[in-house]
Amino acid sequence: MRIVIAGGHGRIALRLERLLAKRGDEVAGIIRRTEQAGDVLAAGAEPVVCDLESASVEDLARHLEGADAAVFAAGAGPGSGIARKDTVDRGAAALFADAAEAAGVRRFLVISAMGADREPPEGTDPVFAAYLKAKGAADADVRARAGLDWTILRPGLLTDEPGTSLVALADATGRGAVPRDDVAAALVELLDEPGTIGRTLELIGGEVPVAEAVRAVAQR
């Protein structure tokens, strides 16, 4: 497969690139700054410099031509303000979906956030609340697109602990933490499982091997 990842220098994206390259896929990671290229190359992916906050649909679609799947893993990241939560976590997701449709790439995965489907609780930090709202709006946009075979993955609290390859994956899991290693592993399995198309799934650490958890969800 050829897979294009938006946010190719992110901590989940770099892990995903390594896994996909290891199994023989051709991977491109879209990055904002040229100085990020070395890390993407080291992960086994082709770095593609394209600013998702300023690119046109046509520009981005050219990078998606010939791809079998697209993964939205971009985010404004820690330290960004409310405005960039909207322009990246919502706006860039919509742009990437537009470009995938324009390039004829149907398989489309999104890394979202647990809690994006409801109003943030009273007292939530305003920037984090804006992040959740932006993620929720992006998810709603993707779900409305008949031109995409989408799957939305909402991990719990992300950690950099070594992956266990044991997870809980369901429409609703409850709160919990999950290593980024295991999120990347779940994305690899989701890419190959058409039974998860049209599903919004939550992921936390659990007791079921990743591949088995994805197969089980696809059969429900």
Side-chain angles (χ1 to χ4, degrees):
M1 296 174 70
R2 175 171 171 79
I3 300 153
V4 180
I5 303 171
H9 193 256
R11 284 184 283 177
I12 294 174
L14 288 169
R15 288 167 166 84
L16 177 59
E17 288 158 4
R18 283 191 286 269
L19 292 175
L20 293 172
K22 185 176 180 180
R23 74 174 195 172
D25 290 320
E26 180 183 342
V27 190
I30 295 176
I31 55 177
R32 191 161 61 94
R33 300 192 302 271
T34 54
E35 57 265 33
Q36 298 170 330
D39 292 335
V40 174
L41 281 168
E46 169 198 354
V48 176
V49 179
C50 181
D51 187 344
L52 298 177
E53 290 178 274
S54 61
S56 68
V57 172
E58 293 75 17
D59 290 339
L60 193 50
R62 281 194 288 272
H63 300 306
L64 282 156
E65 287 177 1
D68 299 291
V71 180
F72 185 78
S80 58
I82 289 173
R84 292 200 70 232
K85 301 305 183 190
D86 184 68
T87 58
V88 178
D89 292 284
R90 182 203 58 78
L95 175 72
F96 197 54
D98 286 341
E101 288 185 315
V105 181
R106 291 198 61 92
R107 192 69 176 110
F108 195 86
L109 269 59
V110 177
I111 302 174
S112 182
M114 198 172 286
D117 56 350
R118 52 189 176 269
E119 190 68 19
E122 187 176 348
T124 300
D125 173 77
V127 175
F128 188 64
Y131 165 75
L132 290 176
K133 289 179 179 178
K135 282 293 190 186
D139 292 353
D141 177 276
V142 168
R143 285 195 293 251
R145 295 173 183 261
L148 297 177
D149 293 332
W150 55 265
T151 303
I152 295 170
L153 184 64
R154 291 176 168 169
L157 178 66
L158 296 169
T159 76
D160 287 323
E161 297 295 318
T164 66
S165 298
L166 299 173
V167 299
L169 179 71
D171 296 329
T173 60
R175 296 282 179 175
V178 61
R180 288 179 172 86
D181 286 347
D182 292 337
V183 178
L187 290 166
V188 172
E189 297 296 332
L190 289 168
L191 278 167
D192 293 339
E193 180 46 79
T196 63
I197 290 169
R199 302 286 296 276
T200 301
L201 301 167
E202 294 184 349
L203 179 75
I204 58 173
E207 300 179 352
V208 182
V210 172
E212 184 180 326
V214 171
R215 285 197 301 270
V217 160
Q219 293 166 5
R220 291 178 201 151

